[in-house]
Every structure is written in structure tokens, then in C-alpha cells.
Amino acid sequence: MGLTAIFCASTLLALLISSSTTAQSPPAPFLPPSPAPAPAPAPAPHLVNLTDLLSVAGPFSTFLNYLLQTKVIDTFQNQVNSSKQGITIFVPKDSAFAALEKSDLGNLTQNQLRTLMLYHAFPKFYSLSQFKNLSNSNPVSTFAGGQYALNVTDTSGLIRVVSNWATSKISSSVWSTAPVALYQIDKVLLPLAIFSTDPPLAPAPAPAPETKKPSDLSPTQSGIASAPKSSESSTTNGSSFGTSICLFNYLVLVLSGVLMLIM
């Protein structure tokens, strides 16, 4: 009986101590899940500087100078920076401008020269592979607008750009990454609205005079071997003449002797 009472008292004491400890320990606070990190912003697109590109890409100094002079370079650059359409520029080589008479472009007004530069670009990006379908949309409008349009042809990969007075071919792709396409052409594009007649080309340089080698000259021209022939001929003629005189003298002496014997 005494042991039972002691066991019950111990159990009750243990329960009291356990409940007291549980009441003093506050429950752990509920923490909300941490938010996922925000995605990094997309990098800004790389903008092509047309002035720098034309300065180093090829022999395009004449075309670049006209773009700077007329401020058309600003129009083109703004299209690159602000438009989703992009730009396609046909860039004549320096030799293409040199093939024209200086007066062809020198007599143009500032507005005409500006229009001529705008005439060399489409206000949209076109890769080389798109020219096949683009040829079905001829004529194609240029930056100059209105009557200043171009025709393009693609024959088995040979792409030509056709203006009123010049048919030029694309000889190389200088840059072809959206939004900028730069294609080198071998002739300046000449619209009828600016040039009422076909502009004359600069005269071709005269060929260097051909010089003959001494071995190409004939014996008569060079004077070689003409003297020995003359000397040999004179010697032969002199010997024949002397021989004839000797024979004549001998015959005279023989006849004289015969006559003296007869007499």
C-alpha cells in the first residue's frame, strides 16, 4: 500500500514538471518562404556606329565624305538606333566615284547631293538571302522616297542593283547583322530625276607607249651588217674591172706582134 502511494506521487510530480516546462517554451514562429531572386535584366543591344564601320571596312572614303557633308549619316544612324526595321546601305567603292567625271557630282546642288546619298539605302534590313524574294517586289523604295526607287535582281546568287543610268552588282557583304546591312557595289547609282541624261564617264588613262627592243629592229633599221655588204660589193666590182683591163692589153700586144710579122 505504501509503495503504491509513493509510485502515484512520483508519477504526478513528473507530469506537473513536464507540463510546466511545456507551458514555458513558446512555439516557434512561422516564417514565410523567401521570394525567388528577380531575373537579371537583358543586356542592351550593341549599336553599330556607321561612321566607324565605313572608315575601316574598305575603300569608302568618298562615299563617307559625302554622307558627312550632307548629314545623311545622321539620318542613317538614327534609323539604326531608333527603328526596329533596320537599314540596308549600298556603298560604292572609291573607284566607282573616280570613274565619273568630276562635273557629274560637282555641279549638283546640296539638296540633289543629299538625295543621291539617300538613294543608296533601303529603310529596312535585308540579308543576302532575302534579295530573291525582294526582286518580286520591284521597284523597291529608298530613303529618298517618291520617284527614287531601285530594282534588284538575283540570278543564281549574283545580285544586281539597277538604277536608271547604272546597273551595279554587289561584290561583297561588308556587314550583314541586323539591324545593319552594308553591301559593296561597283558603280554609283544614278537616278533619272537628278541626271536627265547618262552622265559621261571619266576618260580612261592613255596606255604607256610601247618601246621596241634592239633585237626587234631589222638590220636596215639598226644599221648593223649594212657596211660589210657594201664593202664586199665594191671589192668584187673592182677586181672584175682590173681583170678586164689586163685581158684587153694582152690582146692588143698579140695583135701588134702579128701585124709586125706580116709586114
Side-chain angles (χ1 to χ4, degrees):
M1 182 71 179
L3 292 173
T4 303
I6 292 173
F7 177 77
C8 290
S10 299
T11 302
L12 180 61
L13 181 62
L15 290 173
L16 290 173
I17 293 174
S18 175
S19 61
S20 175
T21 303
T22 303
Q24 291 177 358
S25 300
F30 176 76
L31 298 177
S34 58
H46 174 68
L47 298 180
V48 177
N49 186 299
L50 296 178
T51 302
D52 292 344
L53 182 58
L54 289 170
S55 298
V56 301
F60 307 134
S61 59
T62 305
F63 184 69
L64 178 58
N65 287 338
Y66 282 130
L67 292 181
L68 295 171
Q69 176 185 334
T70 58
K71 300 189 183 303
V72 170
I73 191 68
D74 297 333
T75 302
F76 288 172
Q77 190 66 57
N78 183 65
Q79 178 77 3
V80 173
N81 298 345
S82 307
S83 170
K84 295 182 180 180
Q85 297 296 316
I87 190 172
T88 300
I89 306 175
F90 303 106
V91 188
K93 299 187 297 182
D94 289 342
S95 58
F97 285 98
L100 298 174
E101 288 277 6
K102 291 184 178 180
S103 59
D104 293 340
L105 302 184
N107 292 336
L108 298 182
T109 66
Q110 192 69 7
N111 285 337
Q112 287 176 324
L113 189 58
R114 175 180 172 81
T115 301
L116 181 62
M117 295 299 104
L118 292 171
Y119 187 60
H120 282 74
F122 293 151
K124 186 177 180 180
F125 171 83
Y126 292 104
S127 65
L128 289 175
S129 61
Q130 292 176 297
F131 275 85
K132 186 70 174 179
N133 292 332
L134 184 61
S135 63
N136 297 326
S137 303
N138 286 327
V140 184
S141 297
T142 68
F143 261 96
Q147 57 189 322
Y148 298 96
L150 293 168
N151 292 323
V152 296
T153 62
D154 185 346
T155 306
S156 301
L158 177 61
I159 302 174
R160 298 186 184 275
V161 185
V162 183
S163 64
N164 298 109
W165 296 117
T167 297
S168 181
K169 69 178 179 179
I170 294 180
S171 52
S172 70
S173 174
V174 180
W175 183 277
S176 185
T177 302
V180 177
L182 259 65
Y183 300 120
Q184 176 180 289
I185 56 177
D186 60 352
K187 292 181 181 179
V188 179
L189 302 173
L190 305 171
L192 180 63
I194 295 178
F195 302 94
S196 57
T197 59
D198 189 2
L201 300 178
E210 183 180 356
T211 57
K212 293 185 177 181
K213 298 179 181 179
S215 58
D216 296 336
L217 298 176
S218 63
T220 304
Q221 290 174 320
S222 62
I224 300 175
S226 59
K229 287 183 178 180
S230 176
S231 176
E232 181 180 353
S233 176
S234 299
T235 303
T236 303
N237 293 338
S239 299
S240 300
F241 181 73
T243 303
S244 299
I245 292 176
C246 291
L247 290 174
F248 179 76
N249 291 338
Y250 179 75
L251 290 174
V252 169
L253 290 175
V254 170
L255 290 174
S256 300
V258 170
L259 290 174
M260 289 180 65
L261 291 174
I262 296 173
M263 294 176 63

